[in-house]
Amino acid sequence: MNAFADKPWLSAYAEGVPATIVPPTGSLVDMMDATVKTYTSAVALDFFGATTSYSLLGEQISRVANGLAKLGVKAGDRVALVLPNCPQHIVAFYAVLRLGAIVVEHNPLYTPRELRHQFEDHGARVAIVWDKVVDTVLAFPKDIAVRATVSVDVTRAMPFGKRVALRLPIPKARTARAALTSSTLSKGAISWDTLVTSRALRRSHPRPAVTDIAVLQYTSGTTGSPKGAILTHNNLYSNALQGAAWVPGLQPGKEVFYAVLPMFHAYGLTLCLTFAMSMGARLVLFPKFDPGLVLDAARTTPPTFLPAVPPIYDRLERAAAERKVSLTGIRFAISGAMNLPVATVQRWEAATGGLLVEGYGMTETSPVAAGNPIGPSRRPGTVGVPFPSTEIRVTDPDDPSVDRGFDEEGELLVRGPQVFAGYWNRSDETAAVLLADGWLRTGDIVRVSADGFITIVDRMKELIITGGFNVAPSEVEEALLAYPSVADVAVVGIPHESGGEVVTAAVVLVPGAVLDAPALRQHCRGLLSAYKVPRTIVQVDELPHSLIGKVLRRQVREQLTRTAG
Ligand code: ATP
Ligand code: MG
């Protein structure tokens, strides 16, 4: 029996937060239209000070939709977006949806090989691509379906005389070519301008239904290779409504959202592309996170709402202190994607006077499934409680039909309107995580208190089995990070010839520090049971991270296994 069936967490909700949301009846396009109508003259987008009003944004979306229709885009077609955060990204996103077509988001910094794999998987025939990456897409082999490539020059959306060099870390092989082609249109590409100067789409053009697919969102590939999660209009619109219900005192038409998270990732997509739009917010766009750029913008247009990840809050708070820039006025900061250290919360809240609260979710939940209540009942160190209209269970990791009770470790299962519709072209992998009655297996090991607060223990796939015990790498990593000379760390299990795994830590030290493994182990023994203390500690120069900043333990494990063998 599900111990959490009667939703014991509802009494922890902040005042005014409903137990359920009213399900959306329209699509994201209807949501966008309503915002454009309501907030006509308000600023929708702000890119280094160049602003776009909601009415102009609506107009551009309609023109680009028509331009795409002329390129042959129809309902159900996939259209690839390979763009950093920029005004054209928002326009392209809603223009594709307007036609009932499906947006496929991509990381523009992916290598040509990684991009090609995704294109093979989704089969988009039209791609809207950052000009620095256009040549990669144009050079795809003939068996890739792309027939039209639209080139986007991001700097054209910046104010005249104030063009900012982006210096994004494009893989080296591409920089030489990109430098040559940056101001001219690559042969075979279509310019973005030809789309925005099209006539507006006919109003009578068919529109998507709320049940249609809106987006294919590739997971970040932290534990396996990326798979395309199918997110419907209902999934994404529901998550925006759940978010709006969660935050008390939001002022539609008045909020200033900072988009420092990449919008091609599920987290940035929902917070900045859909939630901000549903609020009629001013969205200040950053093509990459750079504390200097953010603090410059904050001088003229301070944010009221800043979704990010823990390393961003730390860097921003340090940079602001160094430059003596005030961060007060940032009322809400929402952290997700990885564990939020309590020390980060304390420093951030002291600097801003606002709240920093942690949420939890995954690409497959569009992405937010749980959050800390925004009010006195929040519990730092936990990821909070399930969102409105969301149910949870905790089950035996080997058998999801066996429920676990309060405070017992088990796999978290989630059910709600934000749970995705399956993986694109992967029915086996879909069946493995999406149970027949709508429950999603998250693959995360958690403990849930009797009043519904969720503590993440670790990822099932990354638990280390040593001498019959389970070790959660994140707990060991946290202990190591508390040691002053440790700057970054990954803890993994390395297979041992006698069976089982050896707890192994790869550490990056602060500059000038020397590895003293016995002292580090001694420090761990003060914080952890003996079997969790890493047997092997190796020093490395740097560790691989996903674009959103998660340490890629799978890669570290492969590397260390190779060097050990
Ligand atoms: P892949 O599934 O391809 O390996 P991924 O799981 O990293 O990649 P995402 O969907 O972006 O891709 O990440 C979701 C995961 O991130 C969750 O399953 C969970 O493990 C982790 N996560 C999310 N929020 C938190 C949080 N607040 N604290 C700890 N872990 C979190
Ligand atoms: Mg995942």
Side-chain angles (χ1 to χ4, degrees):
M1 234 253 324
N2 178 10
F4 304 95
D6 55 358
K7 301 192 171 189
W9 53 82
L10 292 180
S11 53
Y13 275 15
E15 216 183 304
V17 177
T20 55
I21 54 156
V22 178
T25 49
S27 70
L28 291 171
V29 175
D30 299 316
M31 182 271 277
M32 178 271 292
D33 277 348
T35 290
V36 166
K37 244 202 204 135
T38 313
Y39 304 104
T40 320
S41 56
V43 171
L45 310 176
D46 178 336
F47 196 48
F48 298 99
T51 57
T52 308
S53 66
Y54 270 107
S55 65
L56 185 58
L57 176 62
E59 164 96 24
Q60 288 183 354
I61 291 168
S62 180
R63 286 169 184 267
V64 171
N66 195 15
L68 290 171
K70 284 196 214 145
L71 290 176
V73 175
K74 300 180 307 298
D77 286 352
R78 275 81 62 209
V79 177
L81 265 52
V82 192
L83 296 168
N85 290 0
C86 57
Q88 295 96 328
H89 196 146
I90 319 270
V91 175
F93 182 88
Y94 284 101
V96 172
L97 296 186
R98 176 64 182 83
L99 299 174
I102 301 168
V103 170
V104 197
E105 290 282 354
H106 299 77
N107 179 350
L109 302 182
Y110 264 178
T111 63
R113 194 172 146 270
E114 289 167 319
L115 279 179
R116 203 186 66 220
H117 279 315
Q118 291 191 354
F119 274 76
E120 269 165 8
D121 194 55
H122 57 64
R125 298 172 67 86
V126 173
I128 303 176
V129 183
W130 186 30
D131 57 3
K132 302 277 191 277
V133 188
V134 158
D135 286 347
T136 301
V137 175
L138 290 172
F140 279 160
K142 284 275 169 293
D143 57 338
I144 302 275
V146 186
R147 291 296 165 264
T149 304
V150 178
S151 177
V152 175
D153 179 354
V154 171
T155 63
R156 291 187 55 126
M158 292 176 183
F160 276 121
K162 201 181 161 189
R163 300 215 164 149
V164 182
L166 291 183
R167 278 190 225 99
L168 290 173
I170 312 167
K172 279 202 187 67
R174 267 196 262 146
T175 1
R177 242 183 333 181
L180 289 176
T181 57
S182 64
S183 58
T184 52
L185 189 64
S186 292
K187 195 161 168 280
I190 300 159
S191 128
W192 172 259
D193 289 358
T194 59
L195 296 189
V196 252
T197 53
S198 296
R199 290 164 53 166
L201 190 73
R202 276 180 298 106
R203 279 178 189 281
S204 59
H205 194 280
R207 307 165 68 90
V210 64
T211 48
D212 286 346
I213 302 177
V215 173
L216 294 187
Q217 184 64 40
Y218 284 79
T219 60
S220 57
T222 312
T223 57
S225 55
K227 321 169 265 299
I230 300 170
L231 303 177
T232 64
H233 285 265
N234 185 54
N235 289 153
L236 289 164
Y237 198 168
S238 294
N239 211 227
L241 293 174
Q242 290 168 313
W246 197 246
V247 189
L250 272 178
Q251 297 174 292
K254 296 216 171 80
E255 300 292 337
V256 179
F257 279 55
Y258 270 24
V260 294
L261 293 169
M263 297 189 301
F264 53 76
H265 184 277
Y267 185 14
L269 186 141
T270 292
L271 272 295
C272 302
L273 263 163
T274 59
F275 183 39
M277 173 69 79
S278 76
M279 281 285 111
R282 177 184 189 127
L283 186 66
V284 183
L285 294 154
F286 299 88
K288 66 168 179 180
F289 173 68
D290 174 328
L293 292 179
V294 174
L295 293 178
D296 281 351
R299 268 186 250 269
T300 50
T301 318
T304 61
F305 197 101
L306 179 68
V309 291
I312 289 187
Y313 292 116
D314 286 336
R315 285 181 60 194
L316 206 52
E317 182 262 319
R318 252 184 280 128
E322 271 165 30
R323 290 174 207 209
K324 305 198 165 36
V325 178
S326 164
L327 292 175
T328 49
I330 310 182
R331 305 206 312 283
F332 303 118
I334 309 293
S335 180
M338 65 191 83
N339 171 47
L340 173 66
V342 175
T344 301
V345 177
Q346 289 164 345
R347 280 197 306 267
W348 180 264
E349 295 192 344
T352 61
L355 291 175
L356 170 54
V357 295
E358 184 168 5
Y360 160 85
M362 55 204 299
T363 307
E364 294 86 341
T365 57
S366 308
V368 191
N372 246 305
I374 300 189
S377 59
R378 72 178 171 144
R379 211 169 287 169
T382 75
V383 298
V385 297
F387 253 20
S389 299
T390 308
E391 303 167 87
I392 57 163
R393 280 167 59 197
V394 180
T395 62
D396 181 339
D398 296 320
D399 182 355
S401 68
V402 179
D403 280 282
R404 298 250 162 108
F406 307 141
D407 298 315
E408 289 177 0
E409 281 186 14
E411 181 180 7
L412 179 70
L413 269 55
V414 174
R415 187 161 69 179
Q418 73 275 52
V419 169
F420 80 143
Y423 297 114
W424 186 253
N425 282 341
R426 280 187 178 73
S427 48
D428 289 357
E429 294 193 43
T430 302
V433 301
L434 204 51
L435 308 180
D437 46 6
W439 287 101
L440 167 73
R441 298 186 63 174
T442 64
D444 289 313
I445 301 290
V446 300
R447 261 191 323 271
V448 181
S449 64
D451 54 356
F453 280 80
I454 306 166
T455 302
I456 309 285
V457 176
D458 224 316
R459 291 162 167 252
M460 240 153 78
K461 282 189 182 168
E462 294 181 340
L463 287 183
I464 303 170
I465 320 261
T466 175
F469 289 111
N470 274 353
V471 177
S474 59
E475 188 187 359
V476 185
E477 286 165 1
E478 212 171 306
L480 287 162
L481 274 174
Y483 194 75
S485 60
V486 174
D488 198 7
V489 61
V491 169
V492 297
I494 302 295
H496 189 260
E497 52 202 25
S498 67
E501 295 172 313
V502 178
V503 181
T504 304
V507 296
V508 179
L509 298 181
V510 297
V514 181
L515 179 67
D516 181 351
L520 208 48
R521 265 194 288 271
Q522 185 59 37
H523 157 86
C524 288
R525 274 194 285 272
L527 299 168
L528 305 167
S529 324
Y531 69 93
K532 297 178 184 171
V533 175
R535 286 250 294 277
T536 314
I537 301 179
V538 291
Q539 187 182 348
V540 294
D541 293 337
E542 57 176 354
L543 288 166
H545 287 270
S546 75
L547 202 107
I548 199 128
K550 298 186 211 187
V551 70
L552 298 171
R553 292 184 190 137
R554 183 172 57 103
Q555 277 185 25
V556 175
R557 185 173 190 268
E558 280 164 13
Q559 253 162 31
L560 292 180
T561 309
R562 238 181 289 129
T563 41

mmCIF file of all heavy atoms in Angstrom, residues 541-564:
data_model
loop_
_atom_site.group_PDB
_atom_site.id
_atom_site.type_symbol
_atom_site.label_atom_id
_atom_site.label_comp_id
_atom_site.label_asym_id
_atom_site.label_seq_id
_atom_site.Cartn_x
_atom_site.Cartn_y
_atom_site.Cartn_z
ATOM 1 N N ASP A 541 43.467 16.769 -12.468
ATOM 2 C CA ASP A 541 43.517 18.212 -12.736
ATOM 3 C C ASP A 541 42.122 18.804 -12.846
ATOM 4 O O ASP A 541 41.866 19.919 -12.414
ATOM 5 C CB ASP A 541 44.280 18.491 -14.029
ATOM 6 C CG ASP A 541 45.747 18.138 -13.878
ATOM 7 O OD1 ASP A 541 46.227 18.119 -12.719
ATOM 8 O OD2 ASP A 541 46.405 17.851 -14.901
ATOM 9 N N GLU A 542 41.228 18.038 -13.477
ATOM 10 C CA GLU A 542 39.848 18.526 -13.558
ATOM 11 C C GLU A 542 38.905 17.347 -13.737
ATOM 12 O O GLU A 542 39.327 16.241 -14.067
ATOM 13 C CB GLU A 542 39.683 19.522 -14.706
ATOM 14 C CG GLU A 542 40.078 18.954 -16.051
ATOM 15 C CD GLU A 542 39.805 19.941 -17.183
ATOM 16 O OE1 GLU A 542 39.223 20.999 -16.946
ATOM 17 O OE2 GLU A 542 40.171 19.610 -18.323
ATOM 18 N N LEU A 543 37.613 17.612 -13.500
ATOM 19 C CA LEU A 543 36.604 16.564 -13.627
ATOM 20 C C LEU A 543 35.606 16.965 -14.706
ATOM 21 O O LEU A 543 35.316 18.148 -14.876
ATOM 22 C CB LEU A 543 35.885 16.381 -12.286
ATOM 23 C CG LEU A 543 36.709 15.702 -11.193
ATOM 24 C CD1 LEU A 543 36.056 15.883 -9.833
ATOM 25 C CD2 LEU A 543 36.873 14.215 -11.498
ATOM 26 N N PRO A 544 35.064 15.982 -15.434
ATOM 27 C CA PRO A 544 34.066 16.319 -16.458
ATOM 28 C C PRO A 544 32.716 16.680 -15.820
ATOM 29 O O PRO A 544 32.305 16.056 -14.839
ATOM 30 C CB PRO A 544 33.954 15.026 -17.267
ATOM 31 C CG PRO A 544 34.346 13.937 -16.328
ATOM 32 C CD PRO A 544 35.338 14.532 -15.358
ATOM 33 N N HIS A 545 32.072 17.700 -16.371
ATOM 34 C CA HIS A 545 30.750 18.114 -15.883
ATOM 35 C C HIS A 545 29.779 18.189 -17.049
ATOM 36 O O HIS A 545 30.178 18.501 -18.165
ATOM 37 C CB HIS A 545 30.835 19.501 -15.235
ATOM 38 C CG HIS A 545 31.521 19.497 -13.910
ATOM 39 N ND1 HIS A 545 30.845 19.320 -12.730
ATOM 40 C CD2 HIS A 545 32.821 19.619 -13.586
ATOM 41 C CE1 HIS A 545 31.710 19.343 -11.729
ATOM 42 N NE2 HIS A 545 32.923 19.525 -12.215
ATOM 43 N N SER A 546 28.483 17.964 -16.776
ATOM 44 C CA SER A 546 27.474 18.161 -17.814
ATOM 45 C C SER A 546 27.300 19.662 -17.972
ATOM 46 O O SER A 546 27.784 20.444 -17.146
ATOM 47 C CB SER A 546 26.150 17.533 -17.394
ATOM 48 O OG SER A 546 25.523 18.337 -16.421
ATOM 49 N N LEU A 547 26.592 20.072 -19.021
ATOM 50 C CA LEU A 547 26.500 21.501 -19.275
ATOM 51 C C LEU A 547 25.848 22.251 -18.130
ATOM 52 O O LEU A 547 26.146 23.403 -17.856
ATOM 53 C CB LEU A 547 25.760 21.769 -20.565
ATOM 54 C CG LEU A 547 26.209 23.142 -20.993
ATOM 55 C CD1 LEU A 547 27.128 23.079 -22.161
ATOM 56 C CD2 LEU A 547 25.088 24.093 -21.133
ATOM 57 N N ILE A 548 24.953 21.587 -17.426
ATOM 58 C CA ILE A 548 24.273 22.271 -16.322
ATOM 59 C C ILE A 548 25.112 22.190 -15.050
ATOM 60 O O ILE A 548 24.806 22.812 -14.047
ATOM 61 C CB ILE A 548 22.837 21.735 -16.171
ATOM 62 C CG1 ILE A 548 21.955 22.698 -15.384
ATOM 63 C CG2 ILE A 548 22.789 20.348 -15.575
ATOM 64 C CD1 ILE A 548 20.699 23.022 -16.105
ATOM 65 N N GLY A 549 26.212 21.432 -15.099
ATOM 66 C CA GLY A 549 27.157 21.462 -13.980
ATOM 67 C C GLY A 549 27.222 20.205 -13.131
ATOM 68 O O GLY A 549 27.878 20.188 -12.095
ATOM 69 N N LYS A 550 26.535 19.123 -13.544
ATOM 70 C CA LYS A 550 26.613 17.889 -12.752
ATOM 71 C C LYS A 550 27.903 17.156 -13.078
ATOM 72 O O LYS A 550 28.272 17.050 -14.249
ATOM 73 C CB LYS A 550 25.469 16.949 -13.098
ATOM 74 C CG LYS A 550 24.123 17.508 -12.808
ATOM 75 C CD LYS A 550 23.083 16.431 -13.059
ATOM 76 C CE LYS A 550 21.806 17.070 -13.510
ATOM 77 N NZ LYS A 550 20.710 16.135 -13.630
ATOM 78 N N VAL A 551 28.541 16.609 -12.055
ATOM 79 C CA VAL A 551 29.765 15.869 -12.313
ATOM 80 C C VAL A 551 29.386 14.554 -13.002
ATOM 81 O O VAL A 551 28.416 13.886 -12.632
ATOM 82 C CB VAL A 551 30.576 15.672 -11.014
ATOM 83 C CG1 VAL A 551 29.903 14.714 -10.060
ATOM 84 C CG2 VAL A 551 31.990 15.220 -11.333
ATOM 85 N N LEU A 552 30.115 14.211 -14.068
ATOM 86 C CA LEU A 552 29.779 13.024 -14.857
ATOM 87 C C LEU A 552 30.507 11.815 -14.292
ATOM 88 O O LEU A 552 31.577 11.434 -14.759
ATOM 89 C CB LEU A 552 30.138 13.253 -16.329
ATOM 90 C CG LEU A 552 29.385 14.404 -17.003
ATOM 91 C CD1 LEU A 552 29.941 14.702 -18.385
ATOM 92 C CD2 LEU A 552 27.893 14.099 -17.098
ATOM 93 N N ARG A 553 29.913 11.195 -13.271
ATOM 94 C CA ARG A 553 30.576 10.078 -12.575
ATOM 95 C C ARG A 553 30.826 8.904 -13.501
ATOM 96 O O ARG A 553 31.807 8.196 -13.350
ATOM 97 C CB ARG A 553 29.713 9.613 -11.406
ATOM 98 C CG ARG A 553 29.596 10.621 -10.283
ATOM 99 C CD ARG A 553 28.784 10.000 -9.143
ATOM 100 N NE ARG A 553 28.435 10.980 -8.133
ATOM 101 C CZ ARG A 553 27.229 11.049 -7.564
ATOM 102 N NH1 ARG A 553 26.275 10.209 -7.917
ATOM 103 N NH2 ARG A 553 26.979 11.955 -6.631
ATOM 104 N N ARG A 554 29.910 8.713 -14.465
ATOM 105 C CA ARG A 554 30.068 7.579 -15.381
ATOM 106 C C ARG A 554 31.392 7.692 -16.140
ATOM 107 O O ARG A 554 32.139 6.724 -16.262
ATOM 108 C CB ARG A 554 28.892 7.583 -16.362
ATOM 109 C CG ARG A 554 28.849 6.435 -17.330
ATOM 110 C CD ARG A 554 27.529 6.464 -18.087
ATOM 111 N NE ARG A 554 27.350 7.730 -18.776
ATOM 112 C CZ ARG A 554 27.519 7.905 -20.080
ATOM 113 N NH1 ARG A 554 27.874 6.889 -20.840
ATOM 114 N NH2 ARG A 554 27.331 9.075 -20.644
ATOM 115 N N GLN A 555 31.683 8.921 -16.629
ATOM 116 C CA GLN A 555 32.953 9.108 -17.355
ATOM 117 C C GLN A 555 34.157 8.913 -16.442
ATOM 118 O O GLN A 555 35.158 8.329 -16.847
ATOM 119 C CB GLN A 555 33.018 10.522 -17.949
ATOM 120 C CG GLN A 555 32.304 10.636 -19.270
ATOM 121 C CD GLN A 555 32.500 12.015 -19.876
ATOM 122 O OE1 GLN A 555 33.468 12.708 -19.598
ATOM 123 N NE2 GLN A 555 31.556 12.403 -20.727
ATOM 124 N N VAL A 556 34.051 9.418 -15.226
ATOM 125 C CA VAL A 556 35.165 9.288 -14.276
ATOM 126 C C VAL A 556 35.411 7.804 -13.999
ATOM 127 O O VAL A 556 36.550 7.335 -13.978
ATOM 128 C CB VAL A 556 34.842 10.034 -12.961
ATOM 129 C CG1 VAL A 556 35.931 9.812 -11.922
ATOM 130 C CG2 VAL A 556 34.651 11.521 -13.230
ATOM 131 N N ARG A 557 34.317 7.072 -13.820
ATOM 132 C CA ARG A 557 34.430 5.651 -13.519
ATOM 133 C C ARG A 557 35.110 4.910 -14.670
ATOM 134 O O ARG A 557 36.006 4.106 -14.464
ATOM 135 C CB ARG A 557 33.031 5.084 -13.277
ATOM 136 C CG ARG A 557 32.993 3.646 -12.847
ATOM 137 C CD ARG A 557 31.558 3.271 -12.466
ATOM 138 N NE ARG A 557 31.514 1.967 -11.833
ATOM 139 C CZ ARG A 557 31.317 0.834 -12.493
ATOM 140 N NH1 ARG A 557 31.175 0.840 -13.801
ATOM 141 N NH2 ARG A 557 31.290 -0.318 -11.829
ATOM 142 N N GLU A 558 34.681 5.228 -15.904
ATOM 143 C CA GLU A 558 35.289 4.572 -17.068
ATOM 144 C C GLU A 558 36.784 4.857 -17.142
ATOM 145 O O GLU A 558 37.592 3.960 -17.360
ATOM 146 C CB GLU A 558 34.616 5.039 -18.368
ATOM 147 C CG GLU A 558 33.298 4.334 -18.614
ATOM 148 C CD GLU A 558 32.436 5.036 -19.664
ATOM 149 O OE1 GLU A 558 32.961 5.924 -20.389
ATOM 150 O OE2 GLU A 558 31.238 4.710 -19.738
ATOM 151 N N GLN A 559 37.124 6.138 -16.923
ATOM 152 C CA GLN A 559 38.537 6.525 -16.987
ATOM 153 C C GLN A 559 39.375 5.807 -15.930
ATOM 154 O O GLN A 559 40.433 5.248 -16.227
ATOM 155 C CB GLN A 559 38.682 8.027 -16.748
ATOM 156 C CG GLN A 559 39.013 8.818 -17.999
ATOM 157 C CD GLN A 559 38.703 10.289 -17.806
ATOM 158 O OE1 GLN A 559 38.801 10.792 -16.686
ATOM 159 N NE2 GLN A 559 38.327 10.966 -18.869
ATOM 160 N N LEU A 560 38.855 5.821 -14.700
ATOM 161 C CA LEU A 560 39.633 5.214 -13.613
ATOM 162 C C LEU A 560 39.716 3.697 -13.772
ATOM 163 O O LEU A 560 40.723 3.093 -13.443
ATOM 164 C CB LEU A 560 39.020 5.565 -12.251
ATOM 165 C CG LEU A 560 39.113 7.037 -11.846
ATOM 166 C CD1 LEU A 560 38.468 7.260 -10.488
ATOM 167 C CD2 LEU A 560 40.570 7.514 -11.808
ATOM 168 N N THR A 561 38.647 3.083 -14.299
ATOM 169 C CA THR A 561 38.672 1.639 -14.506
ATOM 170 C C THR A 561 39.734 1.286 -15.544
ATOM 171 O O THR A 561 40.464 0.321 -15.401
ATOM 172 C CB THR A 561 37.296 1.134 -14.982
ATOM 173 O OG1 THR A 561 36.315 1.643 -14.098
ATOM 174 C CG2 THR A 561 37.228 -0.380 -14.990
ATOM 175 N N ARG A 562 39.806 2.127 -16.602
ATOM 176 C CA ARG A 562 40.799 1.891 -17.647
ATOM 177 C C ARG A 562 42.219 2.004 -17.081
ATOM 178 O O ARG A 562 43.059 1.138 -17.318
ATOM 179 C CB ARG A 562 40.614 2.888 -18.800
ATOM 180 C CG ARG A 562 40.367 2.180 -20.126
ATOM 181 C CD ARG A 562 40.202 3.180 -21.250
ATOM 182 N NE ARG A 562 38.941 3.906 -21.166
ATOM 183 C CZ ARG A 562 38.833 5.227 -21.213
ATOM 184 N NH1 ARG A 562 39.888 5.985 -21.328
ATOM 185 N NH2 ARG A 562 37.651 5.793 -21.144
ATOM 186 N N THR A 563 42.475 3.054 -16.300
ATOM 187 C CA THR A 563 43.843 3.229 -15.783
ATOM 188 C C THR A 563 44.185 2.184 -14.730
ATOM 189 O O THR A 563 45.337 1.809 -14.581
ATOM 190 C CB THR A 563 44.049 4.652 -15.195
ATOM 191 O OG1 THR A 563 42.888 4.999 -14.477
ATOM 192 C CG2 THR A 563 44.321 5.662 -16.274
ATOM 193 N N ALA A 564 43.124 1.695 -14.020
ATOM 194 C CA ALA A 564 43.387 0.679 -12.993
ATOM 195 C C ALA A 564 43.681 -0.675 -13.644
ATOM 196 O O ALA A 564 44.433 -1.484 -13.114
ATOM 197 C CB ALA A 564 42.199 0.553 -12.048
#
